[in-house]
Amino acid sequence: MAAIINGKEISKQIKDELKEKVSKMKASGVEPCLAVVLVGEDPASQVYVKNKKNACEYIGIKSLSYELPESTSEEELLKLVDELNKNDEVNGILVQLPLPKQIDEDKIIRAISPDKDVDGFHPESVGRLSIGEKGFKSCTPAGIIELLKRSNIEIDGKECVIIGRSNIVGKPMGMLMLRENATVTICHSHTKNIKEVCKRADILIVAIGKREMIDASYVKEGATVIDVGMHRKEDGHLTGDVDFESVIPVCSAYTPVPGGVGPMTIAMLMNNCVESVER
Ligand code: GUN
């Protein structure tokens, strides 16, 4: 029977560990503070931002909330980021993506000080990750590493196949798995014989954004399958990029959707925020 990797439980453990750390920090007179910036009224972004603020409250991190209208200009947002960069009270800055079309996301990401880049999206953070230097790690890939380690799933020397090459998940995931001494392959839309490549994987990480695309024909017997996808079905339930009814009889462990990778992203954001203070 395949084991369920319980992201909800593991993220709770991490948040409880952080809560203890923050309480000690506060006793010594330091209060971590995250600035959360939301532009516009995208319903999914509103939910994500609310969950992030709730996590801050649970752990004891102060959160400053900036909710700006859809019509906000790039200049106005850059001005706010600049103020937050200069504000000594603020340890971390989170600008929720996507941004309205008149704002260049890349410009905003680059404007955030690398010292406060708790999302780990700044080119300096990405570069540091790539050469194994200390820096903020992109939250979803860092959360997946924690899920594997805390579930005692060996990474060192294993074949890891990642499907998807986004800047936020696929690429940093590859770098982090490499740091853990896995042999890494990243597949994408131009990859030939994708099933054969996936079937080599001891750890298969799926981040393609296509609902239930990966079935048992992509999975080696006994593999661990990590699903980064999130889709809402017609009946309102959530599902991922993996067709688990098909995959569960073949794999040895898997992350469910919901309750797998999702809760870990927020836990690792909180971890980055606490790390930002420790530096
Ligand atoms: N939008 C979707 N996921 C994320 C995330 O991890 N960080 C930010 N800033 N925006 C997002």
Side-chain angles (χ1 to χ4, degrees):
M1 189 66 185
I4 298 172
I5 301 173
N6 190 334
K8 208 171 158 188
E9 205 172 283
I10 295 173
S11 71
K12 168 88 167 45
Q13 273 171 20
I14 293 172
K15 285 192 281 186
D16 284 338
E17 290 164 14
L18 291 172
K19 193 174 181 169
E20 214 174 300
K21 258 191 191 176
V22 168
S23 135
K24 283 185 188 148
M25 278 178 177
K26 282 180 166 172
S28 69
V30 184
E31 183 178 33
C33 174
L34 175 68
V36 182
V37 182
L38 173 65
V39 186
E41 275 150 33
D42 176 63
S45 291
Q46 284 173 331
V47 173
Y48 288 133
V49 161
K50 186 165 153 268
N51 290 341
K52 288 170 188 179
K53 287 196 261 188
N54 287 345
C56 281
E57 195 180 340
Y58 180 78
I59 293 165
I61 296 173
K62 180 174 178 181
S63 68
L64 301 178
S65 185
Y66 298 86
E67 297 191 0
L68 309 180
E70 183 80 26
S71 60
T72 302
S73 69
E74 188 176 282
E75 214 177 350
E76 286 168 317
L77 185 55
L78 284 170
K79 187 164 169 281
L80 173 62
V81 169
D82 186 47
E83 282 166 19
L84 295 171
N85 281 339
K86 289 177 181 150
N87 183 344
D88 289 339
E89 188 197 5
V90 172
N91 308 107
I93 302 171
L94 175 118
V95 178
Q96 186 66 26
L97 305 178
L99 291 167
K101 57 184 181 317
Q102 71 276 17
I103 301 176
D104 181 349
E105 277 183 5
D106 211 38
K107 248 191 194 167
I108 304 300
I109 289 170
R110 284 168 189 265
I112 296 171
S113 161
D115 292 334
K116 300 188 180 186
D117 173 38
V118 284
D119 259 325
F121 293 167
H122 191 286
E124 185 173 320
S125 306
V126 177
R128 283 176 174 269
L129 179 78
S130 305
I131 59 174
E133 267 186 16
K134 254 190 162 337
F136 291 114
K137 295 176 197 143
S138 188
C139 301
T140 301
I144 291 170
I145 298 284
E146 280 301 309
L147 280 180
L148 293 168
K149 286 188 173 174
R150 289 177 186 242
S151 305
N152 298 315
I153 293 167
E154 177 89 23
I155 304 175
D156 198 313
K158 298 293 179 186
E159 285 273 353
C160 171
V161 175
I162 300 159
I163 321 180
R165 56 174 161 178
S166 70
N167 289 339
I168 289 177
V169 181
K171 284 181 198 148
M173 190 75 247
M175 289 301 170
L176 285 180
M177 290 304 265
L178 206 52
R179 260 167 94 155
E180 298 296 331
N181 300 319
T183 301
V184 178
T185 307
I186 302 183
C187 299
H188 47 79
S189 53
H190 291 236
T191 301
K192 295 194 168 51
N193 307 321
I194 192 163
K195 276 191 187 178
E196 282 168 37
V197 177
C198 291
K199 278 219 146 186
R200 292 207 303 259
D202 300 305
I203 302 170
L204 179 63
I205 301 175
V206 189
I208 29 177
K210 285 191 185 150
R211 179 177 148 181
E212 293 172 353
M213 187 189 134
I214 300 303
D215 63 19
S217 65
Y218 290 78
V219 179
K220 179 167 89 172
E221 182 85 38
T224 294
V225 180
I226 305 290
D227 189 351
V228 185
M230 175 90 83
H231 311 273
R232 198 163 290 279
K233 293 199 282 193
E234 293 75 16
D235 64 6
H237 288 103
L238 290 171
T239 187
D241 290 349
V242 176
D243 172 2
F244 276 108
E245 252 185 61
S246 163
V247 167
I248 286 170
V250 182
C251 70
S252 64
Y254 68 99
T255 57
V257 178
V261 173
M264 294 301 289
T265 302
I266 294 184
M268 298 319 286
L269 174 73
M270 299 295 116
N271 184 65
N272 280 351
C273 208
V274 172
E275 255 187 31
S276 173
V277 180
E278 286 171 336
R279 281 182 211 175

